[in-house]
Amino acid sequence: MIFGRPSTKYYRQRLLLFALCITVTTSSLDTNNIEYRVVGTLPEKSQTNDTITVVIDDAPYPLSLSANDNLTYIGSAPIAKKEYYYAHIDPDNDNKVTSREPFTRQPKQSDTDYEFYNRSQAYWDIPTLPHLYDPLYHRKDSDLHLDGQIGTIHIRANSTDLMNLHGNPLDEDAFVTGNMTFIRGQELLTFEDVEVELSGRSSRWNPKLSYSVKIPKESGKSLYGYRRIKLRSLFTDPSYIREALIYHIIRATGLPTTDFSYVRLYINDQPVGFFGLIENFKNPWLVNEFGNGEESDYQQGNLYQARLVGDIFGPGGHISDLGYYGENTTVYEEGQYKIKEDPSDKNPSYKPLIELIKFLANAPTDNLEEWEKHFNMESVLRSMALEIILGFSDGYSTFADNYYLYQNGLNAEQFIYIPADVDISMGSSMSDMSQMLTGDYHTFPGFLRRPLVKQFLRVPEYKQRFEEILQELATYLVNPMILDPIIDAVADMIRQDVEWDENLPRLGKTEIDILANQTISLFDDEKLAGIVDMDTIKDALERPQPLPFDVAVNGPTGHISMTGVKEYIANSSRAILEFYDK
Ligand SMILES: *[C@@H]1O[C@H](CO)[C@@H](O)[C@H](O)[C@H]1NC(C)=O
Ligand SMILES: *[C@@H]1O[C@H](CO)[C@@H](O)[C@H](O)[C@H]1NC(C)=O
Ligand SMILES: *[C@@H]1O[C@H](CO)[C@@H](O)[C@H](O)[C@H]1NC(C)=O
Ligand SMILES: *[C@@H]1O[C@H](CO)[C@@H](O)[C@H](O)[C@H]1NC(C)=O
Ligand SMILES: *[C@@H]1O[C@H](CO)[C@@H](O)[C@H](O)[C@H]1NC(C)=O
Ligand SMILES: *[C@@H]1O[C@H](CO)[C@@H](O)[C@H](O)[C@H]1NC(C)=O
Ligand SMILES: *[C@@H]1O[C@H](CO)[C@@H](O)[C@H](O)[C@H]1NC(C)=O
Ligand SMILES: *[C@@H]1O[C@H](CO)[C@@H](O)[C@H](O)[C@H]1NC(C)=O
């Protein structure tokens, strides 16, 4: 009976059950410890026998090195009543605390996360960026990047091999094989036989290097669905925020791109620095981005990477500007376009790209259907508007560089434009920034010289749509009202790690002089006249490294080669809205 009065027996049973529960709970408090897990290095590890311990309500409990990772200490200990913290102790001196975290942690009721030594906060509320446009393609969901959390990557490899890798930064084929752990939140993932190489081009002379990592396909493992990642050094950006913000902005406009998150990098137990984790546009990236992660089903096309160079500064000099240079196909194969990923039929070819370039040279002004057959035009127009408003100083307009064209499926005729490598942007510049911040794209260095831009601007509908996107971006996305709260939240999250990074020794060769001389002699070329500004380049090379963090975030910096991040956004947005008289 539903409404009947419960019997006394029922109450007795309930009471008994309740009592049992209490007993079980109390006894678990007494005997069931939780696991404490902390990641961190010991000072002067080799010289002392110091180890890490957890101090719970003033009583120390030993932790021991994890079997899976040499930076991670684990141990079982009671739940804190009041507080706990991690400390270094000296076992040769009566377990005396030699140093400790300068704060205490709140009690945890179950196994802790992998907590990072000396970081009081592990989760940060970062406001999400509103989506301005629907995504053009449906990207597979992944937990590779979690906003508001910082992971740790630890690479172990033969130290002689690593020394050779760092000692020959220009060797693009060099790699070492090692093991990697990825640690974040409750997860510690291990990978064997990963390939580690240096990545980037001119950045190879920087003292802080960037890396790319490949998890072998044969291992059957992946990092949340990705096998190839890049670790970006963020070295040229004293705000450490530009790439994070720009990749999020690109995503918010619905374009295919990588996501971004921060990691702390260690190599062979040594801290290497604070890095940006991004996806390498190599498989399974294409499948995740365009084929919903179904590796067996998806039939991909060629992926071309624009690399500017070819033979630019010598005779020939065909750059990756999408210009048509006649029928002889060898002029497109000088190295300015690289086939980054082969199509599914394993027949990489320049032919589809050359067909596209030929179409562009003679593109109609009154036939949108023809255009759409060859380009996903929203991908082009959104990308070009981003170049302008975000001040891409190493992009298609300026250097005809740093973008990808993806043939949208095996043997497809249509291409998708993908912006990439956005570190020299948003107020970090090699061009005259006063020309980038007029609000009028006609003054933007290089923009009107580029064949793709010249041609789409001749089509009234595309010109109109491009200008509309620019204004929508300035109003709803690349606007201080939207971005400043995000920048402030990210700055709070990374401040301590930036300070940590700036005080670490570097592994690169630090041949800034060579880079400076090369840059100056290479860029002082008539092909780049009016695009590269030599005064700006010289200012960049003479700038002290690093600018103070808050100055780099907010501005003004007193440098013509670098504004504050917020300053650039405010000025760019305002200039565009004023130009269109909004
Ligand atoms: C570390 O421990 C070893 C073995 O107990 C001992 O021989 C050595 O002296 C200790 N080192 C230091 C720096 O105390
Ligand atoms: C930890 O370091 C020791 C000594 O360098 C090494 O023998 C061991 O393989 C390392 N363990 C892991 C999990 O990398
Ligand atoms: C990688 O891990 C395997 C298996 O644990 C081990 O045999 C090997 O020595 C490790 N390599 C390095 C460079 O630590
Ligand atoms: C590291 O590699 C070098 C040469 O590549 C080799 O001579 C040496 O034995 C290796 N060391 C270890 C610990 O495997
Ligand atoms: C194409 O150009 C290359 C070098 O620019 C030249 O060696 C080759 O003979 C040319 N091919 C044809 C068919 O003209
Ligand atoms: C802990 O962090 C503070 C603040 O960044 C720093 O000043 C201090 O040196 C750090 N201590 C250790 C032991 O890492
Ligand atoms: C760079 O150029 C200057 C002036 O031309 C020269 O004195 C210097 O030796 C060069 N440095 C390097 C590392 O090439
Ligand atoms: C941005 O605008 C402010 C206020 O008008 C101005 O003081 C500053 O010089 C501008 N910065 C740049 C890089 O143009």
Side-chain angles (χ1 to χ4, degrees), residues 158-161 164:
N158 178 314
S159 52
T160 316
D161 294 351
N164 290 336

Side-chain angles (χ1 to χ4, degrees), residues 41 43 88 99-103 117-119 495-497 499-500:
T41 43
H88 293 157
S99 67
R100 56 159 286 188
E101 297 178 318
F103 54 86
Y117 188 84
N118 202 29
R119 295 293 183 281
R495 184 180 306 278
Q496 203 184 348
D497 284 286
E499 186 195 318
W500 174 72

Side-chain angles (χ1 to χ4, degrees), residues 433-434 437 556 559-560 562-564 567-568 570-572 574:
M433 272 196 275
S434 66
L437 285 168
H559 283 274
I560 58 169
M562 175 150 296
T563 73
E567 178 188 1
Y568 197 88
N571 291 19
S572 182
R574 188 176 58 228

Side-chain angles (χ1 to χ4, degrees), residues 305-349:
Q305 178 189 22
R307 290 163 58 91
L308 164 76
V309 275
D311 191 30
I312 174 177
F313 304 112
H318 302 107
I319 58 174
S320 48
D321 64 352
L322 301 177
Y324 181 61
Y325 299 110
E327 287 290 329
N328 186 341
T329 58
T330 58
V331 301
Y332 304 96
E333 299 173 24
E334 290 169 357
Q336 74 272 46
Y337 304 105
K338 179 180 172 184
I339 300 182
K340 177 93 167 176
E341 273 292 318
D342 292 352
S344 288
D345 66 4
K346 304 267 185 284
N347 267 325
S349 164

